[in-house]
Amino acid sequence: MNKVKQQFSIKDLENLSGIKAHTIRIWEKRYQIFNPNRTETNIRFYSLDELQKLLNISFLNGYGYKISRVAEYSELELNKLVKQVYSEKTNAIFSINVLKLAMLNFDAVLFNETHNELSKTKSFSQIFLQVYTPFLREIGVLWQTSAIKPIHEHFICYLIYQKLIENISLIQTEKQLVENDTTVVLFLPENEVHEISLMFINYQLINKGYRTIYLGSSVPFKDLEEINKFYDNIQFVSYFTVMPYVSELDDYLSNFEKNILQNNSCKLYVSGNQSKNITSKYQSIFKFDTIEDLISSI
């Protein structure tokens, strides 16, 4: 454990818990909920245990428990209260906090325990949409604010990736193809490597009985042209997280429509952060704000 991050600045606590640094200072002074150490230059730093305590307090505070009451509890009492409040209604928020700790500690066992506990009351689709999707959004913010390192993101994303692989493999042995001639080709554009959301779309489509061809990340344009030679009535699906760049987005889509969607029955469905920057209207290209909307449209 000596290589795991054990010390956190007050800004780290703010980013990880959602509680403003100013509020944390007030709680610390008024209720003595923390006892931070200080650097030689008198800057506060907090332990991993204190981070966990703040995450628990944040969870309870969000459901109406006043800090003046919570501050009186011992660590054991606090953990017991959190478990009492934990319910079908609130377990997504609680689980996200636990996943943060699993990420910071590189703790695969805690991640799997959390996933298994969620599986008792939720389907895999519900876990992904209600827990993993908001958690991944938070990771993006935490990375941008330097509260976590890229290695934390890589670690936790790979664990989610593993769950996707497991569940895709499971349903591929159970599902029958729908009785139509539609082929769904899933891909990410060149230099786009954020694959988790596309994999979940693939999972959902297989679960609905569609024949899918999953090409994965960073697929060259010429390879997408080539697949048209093998299938008719292709529905292309992609997820633009950071690529193509905004300045290149309309050119990419114009070329896609002209060179790949020349058959009027072929379409491209796009979601993801970069899709919000699509400004032009296309005859055969459709953008969606959410994964759920995209899947329901195919």
Side-chain angles (χ1 to χ4, degrees):
M1 292 292 290
N2 60 323
K3 294 185 179 180
V4 175
K5 185 172 182 178
Q6 296 285 333
Q7 297 181 357
F8 301 87
S9 68
I10 196 165
K11 193 65 177 177
D12 288 336
L13 264 61
E14 177 181 272
N15 291 329
L16 289 162
S17 69
I19 304 295
K20 294 294 185 183
H22 176 69
T23 301
I24 295 172
R25 290 191 185 97
I26 291 175
W27 288 357
E28 180 183 320
K29 182 177 181 179
R30 185 173 298 172
Y31 303 108
Q32 293 80 49
I33 60 173
F34 302 126
N35 184 28
N37 292 311
R38 292 179 180 269
T39 65
E40 293 180 357
T41 55
N42 205 34
I43 297 174
R44 291 180 180 87
F45 65 88
Y46 300 80
S47 68
L48 187 60
D49 287 341
E50 287 172 320
L51 169 61
Q52 182 170 1
K53 183 177 182 180
L54 181 62
L55 290 173
N56 284 337
I57 290 173
S58 173
F59 172 75
L60 293 171
N61 190 243
Y63 285 91
Y65 286 83
K66 294 183 178 180
I67 181 62
S68 57
R69 175 186 173 188
V70 174
E72 296 175 352
Y73 293 150
S74 66
E75 182 178 346
L76 185 62
E77 291 171 330
L78 186 62
N79 289 335
K80 183 178 179 181
L81 179 59
V82 167
K83 290 179 180 179
Q84 289 174 349
V85 175
Y86 180 86
S87 66
E88 175 63 22
K89 179 180 178 181
T90 61
N91 63 359
I93 297 171
F94 178 79
S95 297
I96 289 171
N97 282 344
V98 176
L99 290 175
K100 289 177 185 177
L101 293 173
M103 176 180 63
L104 290 166
N105 282 291
F106 301 102
D107 191 339
V109 172
L110 180 58
F111 172 88
N112 285 309
E113 287 176 348
T114 305
H115 180 91
N116 292 339
E117 188 65 30
L118 287 166
S119 297
K120 294 177 181 178
T121 57
K122 296 180 182 293
S123 68
F124 179 71
S125 293
Q126 289 173 322
I127 294 172
F128 191 92
L129 293 171
Q130 296 173 18
V131 179
Y132 291 155
T133 296
F135 177 55
L136 289 168
R137 282 197 295 265
E138 284 201 39
I139 287 176
V141 174
L142 294 173
W143 184 81
Q144 291 172 4
T145 57
S146 299
I148 62 172
K149 303 297 184 184
I151 53 172
H152 293 111
E153 181 182 9
H154 290 314
F155 169 77
I156 206 73
C157 285
Y158 181 69
L159 292 176
I160 296 173
Y161 176 91
Q162 285 182 314
K163 293 302 178 187
L164 280 161
I165 292 293
E166 289 172 10
N167 283 274
I168 289 171
S169 297
L170 182 63
I171 61 171
Q172 280 178 328
T173 63
E174 298 174 348
K175 294 293 178 180
Q176 300 294 321
L177 298 180
V178 293
E179 295 181 358
N180 63 47
D181 59 355
T182 300
T183 299
V184 183
V185 174
L186 299 97
F187 74 97
L188 296 180
E190 286 191 88
N191 300 314
E192 176 64 80
V193 297
H194 296 80
E195 201 172 348
I196 286 178
S197 293
L198 188 72
M199 290 181 68
F200 178 70
I201 296 171
N202 187 40
Y203 167 83
Q204 291 284 66
L205 292 175
I206 296 172
N207 205 28
K208 291 175 68 174
Y210 281 95
R211 169 187 171 83
T212 69
I213 299 175
Y214 189 84
L215 300 181
S217 62
S218 195
V219 178
F221 202 86
K222 61 181 177 59
D223 289 353
L224 296 171
E225 293 178 303
E226 188 70 19
I227 203 165
N228 266 339
K229 299 176 182 179
F230 296 92
Y231 299 95
D232 297 320
N233 190 25
I234 297 176
Q235 309 301 299
F236 291 92
V237 174
S238 194
Y239 198 89
F240 296 174
T241 302
V242 297
M243 300 297 293
Y245 292 126
V246 175
S247 60
E248 302 170 353
L249 189 55
D250 283 330
D251 283 344
Y252 180 89
L253 294 175
S254 294
N255 288 332
F256 199 103
E257 188 165 63
K258 178 181 177 181
N259 297 309
I260 297 178
L261 303 178
Q262 66 269 35
N263 182 335
N264 288 333
S265 63
C266 295
K267 297 179 177 65
L268 170 63
Y269 300 83
V270 182
S271 190
N273 187 61
Q274 288 294 72
S275 70
K276 298 173 184 177
N277 297 306
I278 298 175
T279 56
S280 300
K281 299 293 183 180
Y282 299 95
Q283 183 178 352
S284 304
I285 298 175
F286 307 91
K287 68 174 183 176
F288 299 90
D289 291 334
T290 68
I291 290 176
E292 300 96 307
D293 289 343
L294 185 154
I295 292 169
S296 64
S297 298
I298 297 176

